[in-house]
């Protein structure tokens, strides 16, 4: 079920419902889809096993934990082949919440949270730039997150 061709209309309807509210009881999803709760459970399990559904958790507000600065850091590596070794090092920095291997001016892009500018400076100068293979970083501070949503699941009837 790795390709969209194997996701049928019922799967799409389930995904559409769950992407809006992952905490909705399966009995409510079943009622909305017109099938049994067991069928919903089975379908969701298949979608999880096929990596169509990747996780289901809570989003913790970083500010509630004292992390007031959201930052994106473009990282330039000495060689692109060093990516996996650098990722292994980045795994040990808990403030990094995302890491992407990218095209364009940076080899990689990370998203991190810092408590304040002092911690951000330490993360940049004392952690990221000390990783072997990192030759440059460029920091972009997010002033406000305006949109956060899941990819839309279109249901064609």
């Amino acid at each position: 079920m790795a390709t969209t061709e194997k996701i049928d209309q019922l799967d799409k309807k389930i995904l559409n419902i769950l992407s809006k509210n992952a905490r909705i009881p399966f009995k409510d999803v079943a009622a909305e889809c017109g099938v049994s709760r067991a069928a919903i459970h089975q379908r969701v399990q298949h979608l999880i096993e096929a990596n169509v559904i990747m996780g289901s958790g809570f989003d913790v507000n970083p500010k509630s934990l004292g992390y007031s600065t959201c930052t994106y850091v473009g990282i330039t590596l000495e060689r692109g082949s060093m990516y996996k070794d650098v990722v292994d090092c980045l795994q040990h920095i808990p403030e990094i919440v995302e890491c992407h291997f990218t095209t364009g001016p940076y080899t990689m892009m990370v998203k991190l949270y810092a408590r304040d500018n002092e911690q951000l400076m330490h993360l940049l100068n004392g952690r990221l730039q000390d990783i072997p293979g990192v030759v440059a970083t460029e920091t972009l501070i997010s002033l406000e997150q305006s949109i956060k949503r899941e990819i839309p699941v279109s249901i064609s009837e």
Side-chain angles (χ1 to χ4, degrees), residues 61-77:
N61 180 349
K63 288 182 181 179
S64 70
L65 300 174
Y67 292 93
S68 60
T69 305
C70 174
T71 307
Y72 295 87
V73 181
I75 300 173
T76 304
L77 300 182

Side-chain angles (χ1 to χ4, degrees), residues 113-134:
Y113 287 95
R115 294 184 185 280
D116 52 32
N117 287 346
E118 186 178 338
Q119 185 192 22
L120 177 58
M121 192 166 71
H122 169 72
L123 289 168
L124 294 170
N125 297 335
R127 303 286 307 269
L128 287 173
Q129 293 171 355
D130 284 350
I131 297 172
V134 172

